[in-house]
């Protein structure tokens, strides 16, 4: 699949918008009091001397309207790294425009380019629209954990970059 021009890696100037999106996600997930992220924390995590978190953003008309915050994990069974998607959020007004899929596509492409064999995340059990969306991409629930994972052919298919 071809990359979407609306998706790019986050830049330092995006931090306030990303923090705002994380708070919107906390509200959507019915846990606004549990979110305490500050711009300073996110700035250090994304762009400090030893970045441990990475981010792609979705941009519409110059405004950041969605994000995918992720970090590397490691599978001892497969012997390679993977991506753990911590947060995927697109503002409600922009849902249905393909931005969520485009953000996941960008992460799948990261996996394919870097030889990572897993793209996984968790979803709240009540969030059936997200669950249906993830399943439509080929992700499968890990029943004991309600974790979703893209591996093998579904990951390769989603992450394929057309020449």
């Amino acid at each position: 699949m071809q990359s979407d021009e609306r998706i790019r890696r986050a830049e330092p100037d995006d931090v306030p918008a990303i923090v705002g999106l994380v708070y919107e996600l906390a509200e959507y997930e019915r846990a606004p009091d549990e979110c305490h992220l500050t711009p300073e924390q996110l700035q250090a995590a994304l762009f400090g001397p030893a970045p441990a978190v990475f981010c792609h953003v979705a941009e519409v008309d110059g405004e950041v309207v969605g994000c995918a915050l992720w970090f590397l994990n490691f599978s001892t069974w497969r012997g390679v790294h993977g991506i753990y998607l911590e947060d995927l959020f697109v503002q409600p007004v922009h849902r249905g425009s393909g931005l969520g899929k485009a953000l996941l596509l960008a992460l799948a492409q990261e996996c394919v380019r870097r030889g990572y064999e897993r793209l996984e995340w968790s979803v709240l059990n009540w969030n059936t629209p997200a669950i249906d969306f993830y399943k439509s991409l080929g992700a499968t629930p890990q029943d004991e954990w309600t974790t979703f994972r893209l591996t093998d052919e579904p990951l390769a298919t989603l992450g394929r970059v057309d020449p």
Side-chain angles (χ1 to χ4, degrees):
M1 294 187 97
Q2 191 64 18
S3 298
D4 190 317
E5 294 177 1
R6 301 171 297 173
I7 307 302
R8 61 175 173 76
R9 289 295 284 263
E11 299 169 354
D13 288 345
D14 298 324
V15 168
I18 297 166
V19 170
L21 292 170
V22 170
Y23 276 85
E24 286 184 57
L25 173 61
E27 183 76 33
Y28 175 77
E29 290 186 347
R30 306 173 187 164
D33 296 336
E34 295 179 36
C35 188
H36 305 286
L37 180 66
T38 67
E40 295 77 20
Q41 289 172 318
L42 188 58
Q43 183 79 27
L46 288 171
F47 303 108
V53 178
F54 307 93
C55 185
H56 284 72
V57 296
E59 195 173 47
V60 174
D61 297 327
E63 180 184 354
V64 173
V65 300
C67 66
L69 281 151
W70 56 277
F71 55 88
L72 294 180
N73 58 16
F74 184 81
S75 169
T76 54
W77 291 14
R78 289 185 176 239
V80 296
H81 283 290
I83 287 178
Y84 185 84
L85 174 59
E86 180 65 23
D87 289 333
L88 175 68
F89 185 76
V90 174
Q91 291 176 325
V93 69
H94 295 285
R95 291 184 190 151
S97 66
L99 289 173
K101 183 176 182 179
L103 285 163
L104 284 172
L105 168 66
L107 298 189
Q109 289 173 338
E110 287 275 342
C111 287
V112 169
R113 276 194 296 269
R114 297 173 184 262
Y116 303 157
E117 293 188 16
R118 282 187 180 172
L119 170 54
E120 58 187 7
W121 59 94
S122 298
V123 61
L124 291 165
N125 291 333
W126 58 259
N127 194 348
T128 53
I131 291 168
D132 292 343
F133 168 62
Y134 298 144
K135 285 181 177 179
S136 77
L137 297 176
T140 56
Q142 305 297 297
D143 295 332
E144 313 83 46
W145 301 93
T146 314
T147 299
F148 283 76
R149 180 178 296 156
L150 281 175
T151 60
D152 306 318
E153 189 53 41
L155 177 61
T157 298
L158 185 60
R160 188 169 294 121
V161 179
D162 296 332

